[in-house]
Structure formats: structure tokens, C-alpha cells
Amino acid sequence: MMKELETDSGAKPLDFIRQIIAQDQKDGKHPAPTTRFPPEPNGFLHIGHAKSICLNFGIAREYGGRCHLRFDDTNPSKEETKYVDSIKADVQWLGFNWQEHLYFASDYFDRLYEFAEQLIRINKAYVCDLSADEIRRHRGTLTEAGTDSPNRDRSIEENLALFRRMRDGDFPDGSRVLRAKIDMASPVILMRDPVLYRILRADHHRTGNKWCIYPMYDFTHCLSDMLENITHSLCTLEFQDNRSLYDWVLETLETPCHPRQIEFARLNMTYTVMSKRKLLQLVEEGFVEGWDDPRMLTISGLRRRGYTPKSIRSFCEQIGIGKKESWIDMSVLENAVREDLNETAPRVMGVLDPLKVIIDNYPEGLVEELVAQNHPQKPELGIRSVPFSRELYIERDDFMAEPPRKFFRLGPGREVRLRYGYLITCVSFDQDESSGMVTAVHCTYDPDTKGGNAPDGRKVKGTIHWVSAPHALSCTVNLYDRLFTVEHPDADKDVDFKVHINRDSRIKKENCMVEPSLAGAEPATRLQFERQGYFSVDSAQSLPGKPVFNRIVTLRDSWAKIEKGA
Ligand code: ATP
Ligand code: MG
């Protein structure tokens, strides 16, 4: 589907935002675009933010401009320094750099205050004594105009005096607000004298107790953009109505620069929730291990799971930028990481559900070092040696006591190829008498088939992976499934989205058996376990010499490839 978007030259046509940027550049209006990524430091970034980061920083890179990282920190009760740090780390990890352009909306509190007084002086803002509830009731509806606040006609002098007293702490929290004087009958409800400042005594992560009044988002955002000379202020569609207010503030204050706000469709993904507020609930109520739980679609969760920055960037590129809300399936993200890791991840053998194989005719005590390729399609990734001995582990489901005809793996009397090893034939198996569980499989090997080919040219269809039992490294492997059991967990406002949590979203497998070489694998190393998927060494749970693996994603076409004898 993505292919259709490509032009004959192979280059993708520009999305509607890049078309605007390119035109502004061509016209000389904005030779170098300045964009910003403006997160609120009230949680960790998620995959939706990655879309915005790739757009804003991507444009700066592609058009010779710059992108600011600005923390939109106007809500002291929910914001914390640990979120600031994680956001910075995540943006950098994704491969972007704000250079010296790191800003905080709180750095502008003094200037924002001055702008507020200026609005009062030109009779465009007033102090209102209504409670939050009363303001809501006065606001009207889509079909009915609102009603004026009884304080709407206060004199400029009185407003100035009251606003200063608000700042100086003379009034209790929530008792008064500063409102823009616009139009209580505006068809855009947001324009019905919106609140610009509220009284709130809270410790701010940067300004401490200096302020007891805080500016609202709509007042702060446009002025911060203006102060930073942003040329294009890109945000998601839900801010469409806010654009009227964005423009009103800048026009009314006659600011020297007026950034253009452009809205695009946010990223929505199935089988997950995307709002920080909901992700925070999952963390705080213990449904996941933390913000970086490998099942979370946070940047830190994806990183710990083993996703590469490149795969996330290429996912964002594939989904594109548009104006229509849509839902993206997890498989699109999974494909992006598969494509990247298929190129780069070294191949190894790991057995997730071990079953012992004893090669009856292989000399006891003999150990051979077999040569395995690290990447069958990429010889430049080199080779390694894998020990082979009389006792091996294979995957339990690669053996069947009574296999159907089309089962090309191991069964009584059947011959299979051990990857990089010999052809072996099953002669018998041991069973636990009470449970019927197969406990070991006895085979013979053909010493003339080292490397996997029979000199007589006989055909052996199946190839299975294995590890030498006395040499294998026993380890823990986490297998993941989606975090929710339904496509749209938060679709129904009356049902707690957490009832849809998938209780089996993590399967922890102990005593998996992997190649001994993996004892030294560093945290965050990414590998392909042949036929099982791509895995990474968990950076939180692994100990030196004792790696814990996370499955990043399964392989789509594992069988096809190996059976062709790749
Ligand atoms: P959430 O709804 O998850 O709490 P938010 O919009 O409140 O997110 P902010 O910190 O305000 O989070 O977001 C910073 C920037 O990231 C904003 O410009 C916002 O538009 C953008 N953004 C947030 N979520 C998405 C998304 N799902 N898709 C694209 N951009 C997003
Ligand atoms: Mg927000």
C-alpha cells in the first residue's frame, strides 16, 4: 500500500505540511523553517510523540532549519523533573538534536505576565470572580450563546490592581481568574472569554514558589512560539479550535512575529492506549513494570523491548502525515522493526522449550566445533563456532510421537537436518509413564552429512535448530503479546479501559537454552533466534553472564526461508 505513494523517481510526494514549508522556503518567506516539539513534562513520551518528533525535527533537518525542544510546563501539580530527563533522553535516542535550543515555557513566566497586563491595559482582558463551575455554566452551548460575566466591565485600573493582587498571593486558589475579553457569543466556544491565568499554589519544578498564578496553555503556547520565532507551529487536529485563540492573542498584542499553526492527524494505534494519563494509570496501578515496560508503546518501553531508533523513524515515515484521523495496526510497527533487524541482527540458535535429544551413535565425550554463519545473506557479518555433542536440546514442538504426513520435523523413523550440523534420524523416544510427556528423543546421526548435506543427494525437508546440552546457557526469555485484548480499549467512556488488559501479555519462560556464546551478550544487544524471532538482551533484568531476553517480534516467514535451505 505504501508503495503506491511513491513517485516514478522513487521519492515520496511531500505531505501537506512539507508542501507548505517548501513553498514558504521557495517564496523566501521562511528560508529556514523553525519548528518546535513542545511536550508537557507530565509523563514519558509514547509512539504518538515519536510521530510529532519525526515531523518537527525531520522538517528542520530536511529544510536547513532548526527545531526547538520546549517543555510546556505550565501545570506545576503534574510535572516533574524525571519526566524532563526522560523526554530529553528519548528525543536523543530517536536520533534528533535540539542543539542549544532547549527551552521551558516557565522561562517566559515574567514576559507572559507582562503580556497579560498589556491585554488588560488595552481592555482585552479582565479579572473574573466566578468559580470554575459558574464559568462553565455561563459558557453556553453550541446552539446557545454564553452570558457575560458580571465582572466583564470592570475598569482597566481595577483589573490591573486585582491581577497584581492575584500575583501577589492576596486571593485563595481558584477564587479568581484572568479572562480574555473576546465574545461570549462566538461560534467557537473556546473563544467565549477563555481563562488566561488561574491562581494555584503549587511547587513548580523550575520556578519553585515564585508564582502562585499560572498561565493557561492557550495563552502560553502562542506567545512561547512567538518569542522563539517559530515559523510553523505543528500540532494535532484537536487543537484546530485553539487556533482561533492562538491567532487572537498574537493579533491583539500585535506581536512582531506570528507563527502559523498547522494541524495534522494524531497517531492512533489499535490494541493500546496512547494518552499519558492512561499510561500513568497502568504504571501507578501496577499493571506494568514501569514506564519502560517492554509492552508499553512508550519510547522507553520500545527501546527496552529492543526496537531500533531507525525502525521507529521509518514507521513514522511510512504512516505519513495527513489530516484525517486513522488507526494504525500494530503490525505496521512490527514490520518496521522486522525490516530493520532482518538487515542487521546476527543470527543465533536458542531453544525456548527444550526437549533432550540423545544421538546414540555419536562418540561420548566428543565435542565438535561447527561453523555457523552469523547472517546467511550477509557473509560480511562473519561466522562463529557452535559446539556439537552427543546430547542436544531441540524445540519440544519440533518432535511428534505420531506425526502427520506433512510434518517435516522429527518423529519416529524420520530424518531432519540440524542447522549447521548433521542429518539425524529418530530411532525411539522416552516418555514419562504417568503423564505421557516425552522426556528424551533418541536419534542416530549420519557422520557423512556434516554441514547438512547428504553425499548421496537424498532429500531432507526439515531443518531444525538446536543447542548442545552440556554447553547450553540456560536463561530467561520474555515473550510478549499485545497489552489489550480489544482493538480499541478506551472506546467506551463508561467502561474502565483496564478491564481489557491482556493478562497473558507477558509469558516468562525460564530455562530456555541458548548458544553458550550469548553469556557475554551486552544489554540491548539485538539478535535473531533462528525460527523464533528477534530478541534483545533486557537492560533492566540481565546480570553479567546471565542475560534475560525479550522477544521484540516474531519472524513472519521463518519456515519458508529455512525450508528453501537458506
Ligand atoms: P497525551 O494525549 O498522550 O497526554 P499530549 O498531547 O497531552 O499527549 P504533549 O506533551 O502535550 O502530550 O504532546 C507534545 C506534542 O506531541 C504535541 O505537539 C502533541 O500534539 C504531540 N502528540 C501527542 N500525542 C500525539 C499523537 N498520538 N500523534 C501525534 N502527535 C502527538
Ligand atoms: Mg497536551
Side-chain angles (χ1 to χ4, degrees), residues 361-405:
N361 63 339
Y362 193 84
E364 256 182 272
L366 177 64
V367 178
E368 284 181 274
E369 291 292 335
L370 302 182
V371 177
Q373 284 171 287
N374 291 334
H375 195 307
Q377 288 85 42
K378 290 186 183 259
E380 66 273 21
L381 289 188
I383 53 171
R384 67 188 188 285
S385 74
V386 187
F388 185 89
S389 67
R390 189 167 185 269
E391 297 200 357
L392 313 171
Y393 290 114
I394 63 165
E395 214 65 68
R396 182 164 286 279
D397 63 11
D398 279 338
F399 172 81
M400 279 182 91
E402 291 168 38
R405 213 166 51 85

Side-chain angles (χ1 to χ4, degrees), residues 212-229:
C212 66
I213 55 171
Y214 287 94
M216 303 300 286
Y217 168 86
D218 285 306
F219 187 63
T220 310
H221 201 79
C222 54
L223 288 168
S224 306
D225 280 352
M226 184 277 295
L227 289 168
E228 292 174 22
N229 284 309

Side-chain angles (χ1 to χ4, degrees), residues 272-286:
T272 189
V273 293
M274 199 76 102
S275 120
K276 280 184 280 189
R277 194 173 48 79
K278 289 177 185 151
L279 296 174
L280 180 65
Q281 282 180 51
L282 295 177
V283 173
E284 287 190 333
E285 294 170 30

